[in-house]
Amino acid sequence: MSVSGKLFYHWMDKDFDESLKFIDTEQLGDIPYDVTIIGAGVVGCALAYKLSMYKLRVLLLDKNYDVGEATSKGNSAIVHTGFDAAVGTLESELVTKASREWPQLAKKLKIPYEECGALLIAINNEQNTQLDKVYEKALKNGVTDVQQLSAEQVLELEPQITKNVLRGILIPRESIADPFSTSIAYAEIALSNGVDILFGIEVIGIENVDGKVKSLITNCGKKFDTRIIVNVAGLGSRKLADLYGGEPFDINPRRGQFLIFDKFSRSAIDHILLPIPTANTKGVLVIPTIFGNLIAGPTAEDFIIDDNTVSDTTVERLQELLDGASKLYPGLYEQSVITTFSGVRCNCSQGSYWIRCNDGHQGIITVSGIRSTGFTSSPALAEYLIGELHEKLGLNLNVNPVAIDSRSESSWPGWWKRPYSNNELVKESPEYGRVVCYCEQISLGEIIQHLDSPLKPRTLDAIKRRTRAQMGRCQGFDCMVNVAEIISNYCNIPLNKITKRGPGSEIISTNAEQYQ
Amino acid sequence: MNSVKHFNVLIIGAGPAGVGAAVALTKRGIKSIAIIERSDKIGGIPSFYKKKKGGVRTFVRWSRGGIPVFGEDYAQWLEKQLIKTKVQIELQSQVLNIDAKKKILTLVSPEEGEVNYSADAIVMACGSREETPAERGWIAGSRPVRVFYTKQLLRLLDGNHLLPMNNPLIIGSDVIGYAAAAKLKAAGASEAVIVDNCSRPKCSFFERLYFRIWSNPDYQGLSAKSIEVTGIKTASGVNLNGKNIPCDGIVICGELIPNSELALNGDIKVELHSRKPVVAKDYQLSEPGWFAAGNILGGFHGAEWCYFNGQRVARAVANYLS
């Protein structure tokens, strides 16, 4: 992929690659940006991707050291049809629209995607009475391919689930995809089409907020000039809106904990298993992942905005999840939980999909309250936002004739298309035959290939999300240090400076001294 | 890919058990043997405990009068024994999957790519790993950097001469945890705090007495149901019984779980939770011609036990072949 955008990291360590270091705005050219997107989550990246189809100067900023490093990395990875969305809302409209685009999008972006279908299951009378309402709602949302199933039909599709099933609904197009590759693919294509990307940059102030060209003041001491500001900063969108005095709204981060089961569990379940929400509880989902695991979750726990335990897990809630999920699939008690995680939904008290154009000032758009459906809706939401930018913020759209909209064939992740199954490739590059991550069977060649990929990932977690090394059942027991050594050798960064998520998360305590 | 190399015996894993089996099978006159190892060296876990001046000797050679040695020394001794046998050694070779009925292994290596090996008998000497926090079930909290398993600590401390933390906290109170505390102290860290979900440490009194040469860690038993790791970017402590124990790094030690995934994948019977392969008499697994040796059998055994166990399994394999 040829790259015409510029990519830099605000990573000041002397050992970090000079050519990737952001030092001054001169590196980006002197002309102000047409659009600056603040927040490189799945929505920010999707918007950068869609905007890169036009002749525009676009900047994508994030305070973290990879795309999708905050709310976008922890979710159920379901591509929803929108069958149960609140009828008539923007969320419902965008989700149903996007769900029809996804099969094509996944092919273009080279994102593993599987239409596994979902089964909504009633296991008690209260749920049974709800089932018809859900069916009606699906039809109202335009999801007309749903099918009502008898208990026998449900058990034929999923023989391993609870025998207490009374009735069910099959939603054939509910799908699963790789949540990590999605933001990455959007951003890689955007970069190649000329979008500039900066990591490690946090906006701390805005000057000339009423002017045609506004100035973003950042933590690196440099200012960035831009005509339009797009606030897609997720949990940070509230704080950012305060900098320009946008219309008041509140974010209540809502935590969702998940259990990840070992791959041996996957053969038992083919569909996403959905409980029917009742007055008392929303219930626990059992979801196959595209990677070949099963996950169970989520919880729904409300937090206040600055609580830094929001991404923690708790033993009590995890046990509740296991008990809840086992109501649908009792065999889960027999399976091993290899790890757990918490996702955080960016929940807006004033309503989901809180979008305000010219928020407080001309040329600023606030996009918040994009909850867990943001992963699904991202392509349609990005297009909707471009429409708003054009109509309400006066952004001129001229198609860029040389822009590309897809990644190359070689971008398929190695865990999806095993490189060492191609003996010619191993003969040519033996590193593809050297397995580094034993559990997920990931080769040295794949790790090096990703270090060289357009966004130049340099952290352990960024490599983990791209290759799956460290994501298996041993959770890095065998390969964490191997991966750190590979990054160190290949990028000339001393091993003690290798980080999990960027500066401040070094694997070696900075006070510790080398000893012999 | 389609060509299959045939052997009398294939051994998966060149740790103490695998080497023990290879040596004993050779002595019994079995000619064509290959040992397959996914890492780049022979010796298994002991090879990560490097020799160091003033360092901690953690491996006891009971057969030589109970002398404590460095793991690296023992691994080198194993390598010498193995090289004498002329067994075919395949390093950096990962077994991807198995066909239990046909006794075929599909493996991948930098030299050959994907290849199939078959054998009359196969010994799984795949060892074990430490359980993840989720598998232990009582550790939750945040996911910062500098929460290591013992093997990772060894790779940094002994393999790369890096002391990853100054104030260590160790979760797991068996001999592996006490050895880690001693190694960290010997490398210049302060005295560790060891935490576990039992009132008394799992490490025996005599072993603890031995490690007192280097360190005297503080033991904190858990009375609550769980502990939470704290720290946003880097580990800053754990919440235990309502109080925070500060640290700048955590090591998760012990609680071994067998590396029996290949067996599970190949429909060889394995107990689901403990991951122990189901063993009939003479170390035979549920498919004929398949055997298990060493720590894959479950539990936690020293290197020398595994070596001798490999030899016992070799006897069973030889009987099976004749």
Side-chain angles (χ1 to χ4, degrees):
Chain A
M1 207 183 280
S2 67
V3 169
S4 72
K6 299 188 180 72
L7 168 88
F8 296 106
Y9 283 80
H10 175 54
W11 193 323
M12 296 324 284
D13 198 285
K14 70 173 173 41
D15 296 303
F16 191 73
D17 193 340
E18 282 299 325
S19 65
L20 289 176
K21 243 183 224 181
F22 179 71
I23 296 160
D24 202 348
T25 43
E26 280 170 19
Q27 291 166 287
L28 304 167
D30 283 335
I31 320 154
Y33 285 97
D34 296 311
V35 181
T36 297
I37 303 165
I38 303 170
V42 72
V43 179
C45 292
L47 182 60
Y49 165 70
K50 297 268 180 180
L51 279 175
S52 76
M53 304 299 153
Y54 301 97
K55 286 183 188 162
L56 292 168
R57 237 173 96 70
V58 179
L59 174 66
L60 177 63
L61 288 180
D62 201 284
K63 63 178 177 181
N64 293 307
Y65 295 83
D66 190 16
V67 296
E69 178 70 87
T71 43
S72 299
K73 75 180 171 191
N75 56 55
S76 62
I78 299 177
V79 177
H80 298 280
T81 53
F83 78 95
D84 63 347
V87 181
T89 57
L90 179 63
E91 181 176 18
S92 142
E93 182 195 322
L94 294 176
V95 168
T96 41
K97 181 163 176 261
S99 89
R100 293 181 192 280
E101 288 175 25
W102 256 93
Q104 215 34 50
L105 180 76
K107 273 185 204 144
K108 279 189 206 162
L109 302 188
K110 311 292 180 287
I111 305 167
Y113 170 87
E114 188 191 330
E115 243 175 49
C116 58
L119 273 172
L120 194 73
I121 300 160
I123 55 173
N124 59 38
N125 287 332
E126 192 189 354
Q127 292 181 346
N128 201 4
T129 52
Q130 293 289 320
L131 209 61
D132 295 321
K133 283 184 201 155
V134 178
Y135 185 75
E136 296 294 316
K137 198 174 184 185
L139 297 182
K140 273 186 200 151
N141 276 319
V143 184
T144 50
D145 49 358
V146 291
Q147 296 161 32
Q148 300 221 42
L149 302 179
S150 67
E152 292 72 29
Q153 286 170 314
V154 173
L155 286 168
E156 203 172 299
L157 286 174
E158 287 293 354
Q160 304 280 336
I161 64 164
T162 173
K163 302 290 177 274
N164 297 333
V165 53
L166 299 172
R167 216 149 55 96
I169 293 178
L170 175 68
I171 308 109
R173 286 186 300 106
E174 287 277 305
S175 305
I176 51 176
D178 173 356
F180 313 117
S181 298
T182 307
S183 308
I184 293 163
Y186 283 139
E188 284 186 2
I189 300 170
L191 181 69
S192 124
N193 285 336
V195 172
D196 292 344
I197 300 179
L198 288 180
F199 290 122
I201 302 268
E202 189 171 3
V203 176
I204 54 172
I206 299 166
E207 277 177 1
N208 201 17
V209 69
D210 277 319
K212 248 203 152 115
V213 174
K214 308 167 207 313
S215 215
L216 300 170
I217 306 165
T218 63
N219 62 335
C220 69
K222 304 292 172 199
K223 291 179 188 172
F224 299 89
D225 291 341
T226 182
R227 292 194 175 85
I228 289 176
I229 297 169
V230 182
N231 175 0
V232 279
L235 294 183
S237 60
R238 170 67 271 167
K239 227 175 177 176
L240 184 60
D242 286 341
L243 296 180
Y244 52 73
E247 192 183 329
F249 66 98
D250 301 300
I251 292 174
N252 299 103
R254 186 170 289 165
R255 174 163 81 186
Q257 302 191 39
F258 286 91
L259 303 164
I260 306 183
F261 293 87
D262 201 347
K263 290 186 168 173
F264 300 110
S265 62
R266 175 69 150 88
S267 56
I269 299 291
D270 290 328
H271 297 79
I272 301 162
L273 304 182
L274 308 169
I276 296 175
T278 59
N280 302 322
T281 163
K282 198 168 171 290
V284 180
L285 285 68
V286 178
I287 309 154
T289 72
I290 193 82
F291 311 111
N293 305 80
L294 279 185
I295 61 177
T299 59
E301 305 158 66
D302 286 325
F303 279 76
I304 55 163
I305 186 77
D306 285 325
D307 189 335
N308 55 24
T309 64
V310 67
S311 341
D312 287 10
T313 52
T314 59
V315 167
E316 257 174 40
R317 288 305 187 105
L318 294 170
Q319 185 60 46
E320 285 171 26
L321 276 184
L322 183 59
D323 295 339
S326 302
K327 282 184 188 142
L328 295 182
Y329 169 35
L332 271 182
Y333 280 122
E334 304 295 316
Q335 301 293 344
S336 318
V337 175
I338 57 169
T339 189
T340 60
F341 71 93
S342 275
V344 183
R345 310 171 186 88
C346 177
N347 193 50
C348 176
S349 311
Q350 281 72 18
S352 57
Y353 287 63
W354 170 269
I355 298 168
R356 290 292 176 272
C357 296
N358 299 315
D359 193 14
H361 307 269
Q362 283 287 319
I364 299 176
I365 182 165
T366 308
V367 183
S368 193
I370 311 298
R371 306 177 308 160
S372 47
T373 53
F375 172 56
T376 304
S377 71
S378 57
L381 175 58
E383 257 165 30
Y384 172 83
L385 291 176
I386 289 177
E388 297 286 276
L389 288 172
H390 176 62
E391 285 165 27
K392 298 182 181 158
L393 282 81
L395 182 68
N396 285 327
L397 299 174
N398 297 308
V399 173
N400 175 6
V402 294
I404 52 159
D405 67 351
S406 49
R407 291 201 294 175
S408 66
E409 266 316 297
S410 63
S411 306
W412 286 109
W415 58 265
W416 185 249
K417 293 192 171 178
R418 297 286 180 191
Y420 42 73
S421 300
N422 174 356
N423 275 12
E424 293 300 306
L425 179 64
V426 178
K427 221 171 259 170
E428 212 174 279
S429 322
E431 60 271 20
Y432 283 100
R434 175 76 182 100
V435 173
V436 172
C437 166
Y438 305 142
C439 304
E440 296 293 304
Q441 306 185 337
I442 306 303
S443 67
L444 171 62
E446 289 159 68
I447 295 172
I448 293 175
Q449 189 185 332
H450 280 285
L451 288 169
D452 251 345
S453 69
L455 300 181
K456 308 290 175 208
R458 290 294 180 265
T459 68
L460 286 167
D461 277 3
I463 289 299
K464 175 163 88 173
R465 285 191 291 269
R466 283 163 176 81
T467 61
R468 290 195 60 71
Q470 298 192 65
M471 283 226 187
R473 61 181 65 87
C474 88
Q475 289 289 296
F477 170 84
D478 279 308
C479 73
M480 188 279 267
V481 178
N482 286 335
V483 176
E485 284 174 351
I486 294 163
I487 302 175
S488 166
N489 291 335
Y490 194 75
C491 305
N492 288 316
I493 303 170
L495 189 59
N496 61 331
K497 299 281 179 64
I498 298 299
T499 70
K500 185 173 165 67
R501 293 191 276 263
S505 64
E506 288 78 13
I507 57 172
I508 304 295
S509 172
T510 45
N511 304 321
E513 279 165 13
Q514 191 158 0
Y515 79 104
Q516 289 304 316
Chain B
M1 178 69 217
N2 294 324
S3 65
V4 177
K5 288 188 196 171
H6 188 79
F7 298 84
N8 287 136
V9 182
L10 283 170
I11 301 164
I12 310 174
V19 174
V23 169
L25 284 165
T26 309
K27 277 189 186 148
R28 283 167 185 273
I30 290 162
K31 286 278 175 291
S32 104
I33 305 169
I35 189 163
I36 300 159
E37 168 58 41
R38 57 191 186 180
S39 79
D40 52 10
K41 55 181 179 289
I42 290 157
I45 289 294
S47 68
F48 296 105
Y49 287 81
K50 300 280 187 214
K51 198 159 35 177
K52 267 206 167 94
K53 218 179 159 190
V56 185
R57 294 162 195 258
T58 51
F59 287 79
V60 183
R61 298 206 64 177
W62 297 106
S63 65
R64 303 261 170 102
I67 321 160
V69 298
F70 289 108
E72 190 180 16
D73 282 333
Y74 189 67
Q76 281 167 358
W77 179 84
L78 287 173
E79 190 174 355
K80 246 184 240 161
Q81 306 307 307
L82 184 64
I83 287 167
K84 273 191 235 163
T85 62
K86 304 205 171 58
V87 162
Q88 183 176 332
I89 304 166
E90 300 280 352
L91 294 178
Q92 303 195 351
S93 299
Q94 160 98 359
V95 181
L96 298 172
N97 49 58
I98 65 170
D99 184 329
K101 293 263 181 307
K102 292 184 184 153
K103 285 180 278 193
I104 295 176
L105 308 179
T106 303
L107 51 118
V108 61
S109 69
E111 291 77 27
E112 298 188 272
E114 254 185 64
V115 281
N116 286 337
Y117 282 12
S118 68
D120 303 319
I122 296 169
V123 179
M124 304 190 108
C126 310
S128 55
R129 62 171 170 86
E130 288 168 321
E131 284 186 339
T132 66
E135 283 169 330
R136 289 169 206 231
W138 50 276
I139 306 166
S142 64
R143 296 281 294 272
V145 74
R146 257 179 260 150
V147 179
F148 301 106
Y149 296 102
T150 313
K151 186 176 174 185
Q152 299 172 339
L153 173 74
L154 294 169
R155 293 285 308 277
L156 293 170
L157 197 62
D158 286 7
N160 286 291
H161 312 295
L162 289 168
L163 177 61
M165 57 191 85
N166 285 320
N167 301 304
L169 187 136
I170 290 169
I171 301 176
S173 64
D174 65 9
V175 64
I176 301 175
Y178 274 82
K183 285 185 71 75
L184 282 161
K185 181 80 193 306
S190 57
E191 207 68 86
V193 177
I194 298 185
V195 169
D196 208 339
N197 67 341
C198 42
S199 57
R200 298 177 61 85
K202 289 173 183 158
C203 184
S204 76
F205 174 75
F206 290 105
E207 286 165 329
R208 276 184 282 148
L209 202 61
Y210 170 67
F211 288 119
R212 282 281 279 276
I213 300 172
W214 297 276
S215 74
N216 187 15
D218 173 25
Y219 179 72
Q220 303 246 1
L222 182 67
S223 59
K225 265 193 189 153
S226 61
I227 61 171
E228 279 99 44
V229 173
T230 60
I232 303 297
K233 281 186 173 171
T234 65
S236 65
V238 296
N239 280 327
L240 171 78
N241 301 340
K243 65 172 197 269
N244 190 268
I245 304 174
C247 69
D248 68 344
I250 295 173
V251 191
I252 295 175
C253 294
E255 306 297 323
L256 303 185
I257 184 161
N259 288 329
S260 55
E261 292 79 38
L262 280 174
L264 255 171
N265 261 330
D267 286 333
I268 290 175
K269 280 193 187 125
V270 173
E271 290 174 24
L272 261 179
H273 261 299
S274 70
R275 287 287 164 90
K276 284 183 201 166
V278 177
V279 178
K281 70 170 176 46
D282 290 340
Y283 303 100
Q284 295 211 40
L285 303 179
S286 67
E287 290 291 333
W290 289 82
F291 296 81
N295 274 334
I296 192 177
L297 293 165
F300 167 39
H301 303 285
E304 210 175 41
W305 184 95
C306 290
Y307 180 78
F308 291 127
N309 179 255
Q311 300 203 316
R312 278 193 294 276
V313 174
R315 194 188 315 151
V317 173
N319 287 340
Y320 169 83
L321 291 176
S322 61

